[in-house]
């Protein structure tokens, strides 16, 4: 397994609001820069997504990856369970109440791809860029 890429942001919103925004998984701003669409396949009894298919595309290819979504106390975890180009991927969000009405959101992601010749540094850089975009989108929506 790869070393996680970790990013965090402080959001001027309570934890439940931040988790609500994270759970809007059909918003492609929550995904990699290459995300073209995201479609929820299943929901839990609270209406939250539990299975989602994400279509990624870059240059001349598109591919689908299926993620299972689990929820904990102040956390959301997405685990890739099927994908042609992704061998392993986990995206984990942990929301921490800072006690002053703000939330410190930590996002940790790992990914291994099936594509030969992709350098680790390049994958980590792309994951970091996507994580930063993702967190800024969550911050904007939660504070808005």
């Amino acid at each position: 397994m790869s070393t996680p890429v970790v990013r965090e942001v402080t959001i001027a919103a309570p934890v439940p609001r931040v988790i609500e925004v994270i759970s809007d998984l059909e918003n492609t701003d929550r995904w990699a820069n290459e995300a073209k669409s995201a479609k929820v396949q299943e929901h839990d009894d609270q209406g939250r997504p539990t299975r989602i298919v994400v279509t990624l595309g870059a240059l001349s290819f598109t591919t689908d990856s299926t993620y299972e979504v689990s929820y904990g106390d102040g956390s959301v975890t997405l685990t890739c369970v099927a994908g042609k180009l992704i061998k392993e991927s986990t995206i984990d969000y942990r929301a921490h109440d800072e006690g002053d009405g703000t939330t410190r959101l930590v996002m940790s992601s790992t990914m291994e791809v099936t594509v030969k010749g992709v350098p680790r540094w390049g994958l980590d850089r792309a994951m970091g860029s996507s994580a930063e975009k993702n967190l800024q989108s969550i911050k904007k929506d939660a504070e808005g």
Side-chain angles (χ1 to χ4, degrees):
M1 182 185 297
S2 63
T3 302
V5 170
V6 179
R7 298 290 189 274
E8 68 178 73
V9 66
T10 299
I11 301 172
V15 168
R17 174 65 182 144
V18 173
I19 296 297
E20 176 187 356
V21 170
I22 292 168
S23 299
D24 178 16
L25 296 172
E26 288 185 309
N27 180 339
T28 55
D29 283 345
R30 305 292 185 263
W31 294 93
N33 296 330
E34 296 79 17
K36 303 303 177 199
S37 68
K39 301 287 181 207
V40 173
Q41 303 295 304
E42 297 174 15
H43 294 85
D44 67 10
D45 58 357
Q46 295 178 40
R48 302 175 301 190
T50 56
R51 190 173 187 88
I52 187 163
V53 175
V54 179
T55 301
L56 301 171
L59 303 174
S60 62
F61 77 88
T62 60
T63 186
D64 290 341
S65 296
T66 302
Y67 285 80
E68 289 186 349
V69 185
S70 60
Y71 300 87
D73 186 22
S75 69
V76 179
T77 303
L78 299 93
T79 305
C80 185
V81 295
K84 291 180 183 172
L85 299 179
I86 298 174
K87 182 164 68 171
E88 177 271 327
S89 174
T90 301
I91 305 165
D92 184 60
Y93 297 93
R94 302 281 167 175
H96 305 275
D97 184 342
E98 295 295 278
D100 60 359
T102 65
T103 299
R104 181 172 51 89
L105 181 62
V106 179
M107 178 187 174
S108 173
S109 59
T110 59
M111 181 178 289
E112 294 293 337
V113 297
T114 60
V115 180
K116 301 237 186 279
V118 175
R120 181 82 247 161
W121 66 266
L123 185 56
D124 287 348
R125 189 166 140 185
M127 288 172 38
S129 172
S130 290
E132 290 166 14
K133 171 191 167 221
N134 178 308
L135 290 176
Q136 288 308 308
S137 170
I138 292 167
K139 179 179 174 74
K140 178 180 173 233
D141 290 354
E143 291 179 347

